[in-house]
């Protein structure tokens, strides 16, 4: 993978260590980018079939980029910033990720391996399998050292907590600020703006939360719990010096957006396959070309958007195939390549297939909702046939069946920028009304 | 959709695996998650769940309203135990609250539309390990007109929520012999029932901190030797060889039986269910018991939300839900449900042989076949109730206790926490046998969170006892009857952990 010549230098040139070998990197960039730029594409081997794995989503929503970093197992290298001397190790790879002997499991059992029934009750084989399975399973190693002392827990009490600083969350924050309702905005990314900021960086440069809001970037939510004091959001914050924060709010406005769903085509897990979000992160933020010949597949609108992005950066797009939403597989037959994408076969027209050579595939799909937090808080989640995914049940204004849980944006189904902003603002108005009520009761 | 396509990249689950699960009768998201393992990896279902939803809808396995996401268990992002250890511990208090706020084990949309059959010789209430193992054993003895009723999916109750520990180190002769027999049956389970349960005999290492607990351990060990269990009392120094990573600070005495171990709980249920079904037993999931028809001192019919079933014998094997069901027929059971929480970490390469437990605090942890650290710790202040949510206070208590014993575990990340119900009786022993005043209602509950490991042996003996007419052929079914609580002669089991 090449770095874009025109991209601005992000940090100092440093060296990290991958399985003992030096790799050039740029300080502060996600270390996965350093590895990709250095031509390293296989980051690990998968748990069962020892298939090659490489970065896919660039939003810590999959497990394909996990590595052992400085002795800690299963770190998201798509998030961990590169640091001079950092030690990276591939996991589950024997003797090496490029030439893994256990990958033979994958081709020895072309129909897959049914671990429930395989060798069940066959004397000797059964016992041997149990021993082998135990050693094949597991990712990473038990750490050899203790954790550094952790910063103390932070406890916040605030009228409102917004989760997600995308279009919906920011619009909501602005309404709350206008009504002088104090609030926190929790965002997993290092930037505000969500997925629309990656679409239009120029316009999004001025996007921000409402005046007075506390914005916690690089903050991952862990859960929405209840204790003797009431409902609280538990979150992981603080970047490299992680700490837990407990946020007790009277209302929660959940606008966490969505993540890319997986399309089920053969070899859909090959390194070199990226989500549209990942492609946007690589091109816009990290100055990396996803490939020198890129195939874009998925749902029509999302494919068009990614195509425009690729054109803007001069990416050589060899295929842009969008299908309407009802197709599960996006018209893709299979991806080709031993340990990295070398081509893709798609269906074109009635039953005819076409193979296209490429070294990267971008799968562009509408986001699937991050509904988990709302569900933990007691809101209902249903499978929407229209959106072909799970969505939080709420009215148009984002009011759920739970009095203190409001939702907006992609969590109620994929939204346009304007729709997301409108729902965020509408939900925030209900939150303001509730804050006045709750305030009056106290 | 290619059969080889990966649906869950964390666990290498393919479309073909989903098809196999459906072919084996798993049609709801929770069951398919358990059968295939999809959604149980580091990403916790972020990339796979909607894909599975689409698969179920497109293949018409479920209607859209029957496709619900599996319970989104905290943490939503892998979180190190050392971070949880910064949470304050609410000492001497119940672990208040739990997420999700409403668990929906029994969903109306998943209820089969057809009525249940109108007659069966034996109706077993509860499709957990007890009920399914009994159904299989009855069918093997020729009693095949058996119907098992389960209000949720298989594995929805405690049988699907336990840590998978199996041990012979018990405190009473009855429990030792049951557990020994169970482990023998587990060794041949795959041969008998065609499904792997991944028994790994890495031993149980019990630790004692106080002199009183050490004494209890010594007593129990003597009893183990009398019953042929090779428990070895060890100094902390000697036990260090068994688990080199562990701190033995303040530990007075250890007891180790290398023949104890861990199994993977879910296939156990599927194995018994498949075995029983093949022999003609009916299993109805998503079906709730709503009442009973009683006349002349006998249950005549079991009423369900899918119709009535006339029957000769009813077995109550609903675990922690048994008292609720018994109440429907005016029988008062002394069992109380108690929430016990548990968690599972990221999978790691093998490093921990035995299941380790501190007998003083109830902390236990082991490494599963898949490599996860699985562990829990009971809270003696937990009130009775069927609350099955996950609390943050448990995380605080458990992470502190675990990292005290296994300091490097502070850098290991938690992937999932959940809870199950211990079915607690006043003497920590089960309730078995006939019900006074209602002789065709047979009891099979009250296993205090440890029924899973007892089930193979208990079911085998109960089936034999039932085949012989529920008389006095087996002392198990006269010793542990419901009326013992009236007579007041109770033999207490105190090797209870978790």
């Amino acid at each position: 993978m090449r770095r874009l010549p025109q991209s601005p230098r992000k940090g100092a040139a440093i060296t990290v260590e991958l399985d003992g070998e030096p790799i050039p990197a740029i300080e502060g960039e996600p270390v996965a980018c350093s590895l990709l730029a250095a031509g390293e594409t296989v980051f690990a081997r998968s748990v069962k079939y020892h298939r090659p794995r490489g970065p896919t989503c660039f939003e810590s929503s999959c497990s394909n980029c996990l590595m052992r970093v400085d002795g800690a197992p299963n770190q998201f290298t798509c998030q961990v910033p590169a640091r001079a001397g950092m030690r990276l190790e591939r996991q589950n790879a024997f003797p090496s990720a490029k030439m893994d002997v256990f990958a033979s499991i994958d081709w020895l059992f072309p129909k897959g391996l049914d671990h429930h029934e395989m060798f069940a009750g066959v004397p000797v084989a059964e016992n041997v399998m149990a021993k082998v399975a135990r050693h094949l399973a597991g990712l990473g190693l038990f750490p050899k050292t203790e954790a550094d002392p952790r910063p103390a827990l932070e406890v916040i009490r605030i009228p409102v907590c917004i989760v997600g600083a995308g279009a919906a969350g920011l619009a909501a924050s602005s309404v709350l600020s206008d009504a002088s309702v104090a609030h926190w905005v929790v965002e997993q990314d290092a930037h505000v703006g969500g997925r629309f900021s990656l679409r239009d960086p120029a316009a999004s440069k001025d996007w921000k939360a409402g005046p007075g809001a506390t914005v916690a970037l690089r903050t991952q939510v862990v859960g929405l719990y209840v204790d003797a004091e009431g409902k609280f959001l538990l979150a992981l914050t603080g970047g490299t010096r992680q700490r837990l924060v407990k946020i007790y709010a009277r209302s929660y406005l959940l606008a966490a957006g969505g993540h890319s769903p997986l399309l089920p085509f053969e070899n859909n897990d090959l390194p070199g396959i990226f989500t549209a979000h990942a492609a946007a992160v690589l091109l816009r933020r990290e100055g990396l070309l996803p490939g020198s010949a890129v195939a874009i597949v998925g749902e029509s609108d999302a494919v068009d958007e990614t195509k425009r992005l690729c054109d803007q950066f001069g990416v050589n797009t060899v295929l842009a195939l969008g299908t309407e939403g009802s197709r599960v597989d996006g018209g893709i037959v299979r991806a080709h390549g031993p340990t990295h994408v070398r081509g893709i076969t798609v269906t074109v027209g009635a039953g005819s297939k076409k193979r296209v050579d490429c070294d990267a595939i971008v799968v562009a799909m509408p986001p699937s909702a991050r509904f988990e937090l709302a569900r933990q808080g007691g809101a209902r989640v249903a499978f929407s046939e229209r959106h072909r995914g799970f969505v939080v049940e709420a009215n148009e204004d984002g009011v759920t069946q739970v009095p203190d849980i409001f939702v907006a944006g992609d969590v109620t189904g994929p939204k346009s920028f304007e729709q997301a902003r409108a729902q965020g603002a509408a939900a925030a108005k209900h939150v303001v009304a509730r804050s006045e009520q709750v305030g009056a009761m106290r | 959709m290619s059969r080889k396509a990966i649906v869950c990249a964390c666990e290498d689950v393919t479309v073909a695996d989903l098809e196999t699960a459906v072919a084996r009768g798993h049609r709801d998201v929770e069951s398919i998650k358990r059968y295939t393992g999809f959604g149980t990896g580091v990403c916790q279902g972020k990339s796979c769940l909607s894909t599975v939803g689409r698969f179920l809808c497109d293949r018409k396995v479920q209607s859209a309203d029957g496709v619900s996401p599996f319970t989104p268990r905290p943490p939503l992002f892998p979180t190190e135990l050392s971070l949880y250890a910064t949470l304050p511990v609410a000492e001497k208090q119940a672990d208040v609250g739990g997420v999700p706020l409403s668990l929906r084990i029994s969903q109306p949309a998943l209820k089969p539309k057809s009525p249940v059959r109108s007659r069966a010789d034996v109706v077993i209430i509860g499709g957990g390990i007890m009920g399914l193992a009994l159904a299989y054993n009855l069918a093997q003895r020729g009693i095949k007109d058996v119907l098992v009723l389960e209000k949720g999916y298989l594995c929805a109750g405690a049988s699907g929520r336990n840590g998978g520990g199996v041990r012979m180190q018990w405190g009473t002769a009855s429990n030792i012999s049951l557990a020994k027999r169970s482990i023998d049956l587990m060794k041949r389970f795959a041969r008998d029932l065609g499904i792997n349960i991944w028994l790994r005999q890495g031993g149980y290492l019990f630790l004692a901190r106080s002199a009183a607990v050490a004494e209890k351990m010594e007593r129990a060990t003597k009893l183990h030797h009398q019953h042929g269990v090779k428990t070895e009392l060890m100094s902390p120094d000697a036990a260090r060889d068994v688990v080199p990573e562990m701190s033995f600070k303040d530990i007075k005495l250890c007891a180790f039986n290398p023949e104890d171990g861990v199994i993977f709980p879910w296939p156990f249920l599927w194995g018994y269910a498949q075995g029983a079904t093949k022999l003609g037993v009916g299993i109805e999931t998503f079906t709730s018991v709503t009442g009973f028809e009683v006349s002349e001192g006998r249950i005549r019919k079991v009423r369900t939300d899918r119709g009535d079933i006339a029957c000769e014998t009813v077995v109550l094997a609903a675990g922690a839900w048994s008292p609720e069901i018994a109440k429907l027929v005016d029988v008062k059971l002394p069992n109380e449900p108690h929430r016990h929480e548990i968690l599972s970490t990221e999978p790691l390469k093998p490093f921990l042989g035995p299941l380790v437990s501190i007998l003083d605090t109830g902390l236990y942890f082991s490494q599963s076949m898949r490599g996860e650290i699985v562990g829990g710790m009971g809270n003696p202040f937990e009130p009775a109730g069927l609350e099955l949510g996950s609390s943050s206070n448990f995380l605080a208590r458990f992470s502190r206790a675990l990292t005290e014993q296994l300091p490097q575990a502070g850098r290991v990340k938690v992937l999932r926490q959940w809870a199950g119900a211990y079915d607690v009786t006043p003497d920590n022993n089960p309730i078995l046998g006939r019900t006074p005043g209602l002789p065709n209602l047979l009891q099979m509950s009250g296993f205090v969170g440890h029924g899973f490991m007892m089930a193979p042996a208990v079911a085998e003996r109960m089936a034999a006892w039932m085949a012989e007419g529920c008389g006095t052929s087996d002392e198990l079914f006269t010793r542990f009857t419901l009326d013992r609580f009236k007579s007041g002669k109770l033999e207490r089991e105190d090797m209870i952990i978790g």
Side-chain angles (χ1 to χ4, degrees), chain A residues 46 49 53 63 73-74 92 116-118 126 130 139-140 145 150 222 224-225 259 262 268 328 376 388, chain B residues 6 10 12 24 35 46 51 54 58 72 76 80 82 99 102 190 196 346-347 349 352 369 411 413 417:
Chain A
S46 69
Y49 298 123
R53 290 280 182 265
S63 60
N74 298 315
N92 218 32
H116 290 314
E117 293 174 8
M118 187 180 182
E126 179 185 47
L139 270 176
T145 55
R150 293 297 190 173
V222 168
L224 193 51
Y225 288 91
H259 41 71
L262 190 119
N268 58 347
V328 172
Q376 287 184 349
R388 300 183 53 72
Chain B
I6 297 275
C10 299
D12 275 353
R24 295 279 183 280
Y35 195 79
K46 288 190 183 79
T51 309
R54 289 169 186 217
D58 292 350
L76 298 177
E80 290 184 18
S82 56
V99 290
S102 60
N196 292 308
E346 59 194 322
K349 291 289 174 198
L352 177 66
M369 194 68 181
R411 294 180 79 183
K413 297 181 284 300
Q417 63 171 135

Side-chain angles (χ1 to χ4, degrees), chain B residues 112-291:
Chain B
K113 306 279 180 290
S114 57
V116 284
R117 71 164 107 141
S118 60
R119 222 211 77 81
D121 282 348
V122 181
V123 171
I124 300 175
I125 302 169
I129 188 70
M130 286 293 164
L132 294 172
L134 179 64
Y136 171 72
N137 277 280
L138 285 172
Q140 273 214 313
R141 291 184 168 273
I143 304 173
K144 296 181 179 180
D145 189 11
V146 178
L147 189 63
V148 181
L149 303 175
E150 166 57 48
K151 75 167 177 171
Y153 50 90
L154 296 185
C155 300
S159 300
R161 293 165 179 268
N162 66 89
V166 293
R167 57 166 156 123
M168 304 172 188
Q169 297 189 62
W170 282 92
T172 59
S174 311
N175 280 335
I176 294 170
S177 67
L178 283 173
K180 271 188 75 173
R181 176 66 185 156
S182 276
I183 291 177
D184 282 344
L185 290 169
M186 288 173 190
K187 284 185 192 162
R188 39 180 263 220
F189 193 88
R191 239 162 295 161
D192 292 345
L193 288 143
I195 190 163
N196 292 308
I197 56 165
W198 306 101
L199 169 67
R200 182 173 68 77
Q201 288 176 291
Y204 254 56
L205 181 68
F206 277 112
L207 311 179
R209 283 201 179 140
S210 69
V213 172
E215 221 170 87
K216 187 162 89 177
M217 200 181 252
E218 283 171 347
R219 260 200 322 273
T221 304
K222 270 188 204 133
L223 193 65
H224 299 164
H225 293 167
Q226 285 165 21
H227 291 84
V229 177
K230 297 177 186 107
T231 306
E232 191 185 336
L233 285 176
M234 286 180 175
S235 68
D237 266 344
R240 200 164 277 128
D241 291 341
V242 182
V243 189
E245 293 83 1
M246 198 158 72
S247 155
F248 285 86
K249 190 170 169 283
D250 300 331
I251 300 296
K252 286 211 162 50
L253 188 66
C254 311
F256 181 63
N257 173 28
E259 289 188 280
D260 296 340
V262 289
I263 48 113
F264 186 29
W266 300 335
F268 232 102
L269 273 78
W270 302 323
Y272 277 131
Q274 284 169 22
T277 309
K278 265 185 211 152
L279 294 171
V281 169
I283 299 171
E284 298 287 353
T285 51
F286 299 104
T287 304
S288 301
V289 171
T290 54

Side-chain angles (χ1 to χ4, degrees), chain B residues 384-408:
Chain B
L386 280 164
E387 160 67 70
L388 288 181
S390 299
S391 73
S392 64
N393 201 40
F394 163 69
L395 292 172
R397 291 188 299 108
F398 178 82
S399 55
R400 286 174 187 217
L402 179 67
T403 49
E404 194 184 331
Q405 226 58 51
L406 203 60
Q408 308 91 309

Side-chain angles (χ1 to χ4, degrees), chain A residues 332-418:
Chain A
I332 312 158
V333 178
R334 61 172 298 181
H336 305 274
T339 57
H340 190 270
V341 170
R342 282 188 189 167
I344 184 169
T345 298
V346 293
T347 351
V348 279
S352 69
K353 290 176 189 172
K354 177 171 90 168
R355 184 184 157 144
V356 180
D357 288 340
C358 60
D359 62 358
I361 298 171
V362 177
V363 177
M365 292 292 287
S368 81
R370 293 182 189 272
F371 61 82
E372 293 86 353
L373 210 54
R375 173 74 185 88
Q376 287 184 349
R380 288 173 56 166
V381 174
F383 188 81
S384 154
E385 283 181 283
R386 184 160 78 90
H387 298 304
R388 300 183 53 72
F390 295 102
V391 296
V392 181
E393 283 186 6
N395 72 8
E396 281 203 352
D397 288 358
V399 176
T400 71
Q401 292 180 327
V402 187
D404 56 355
I405 304 281
F406 301 83
V407 288
D410 292 339
V411 290
T412 61
K415 299 271 175 302
S416 69
F417 177 70
E418 291 73 22

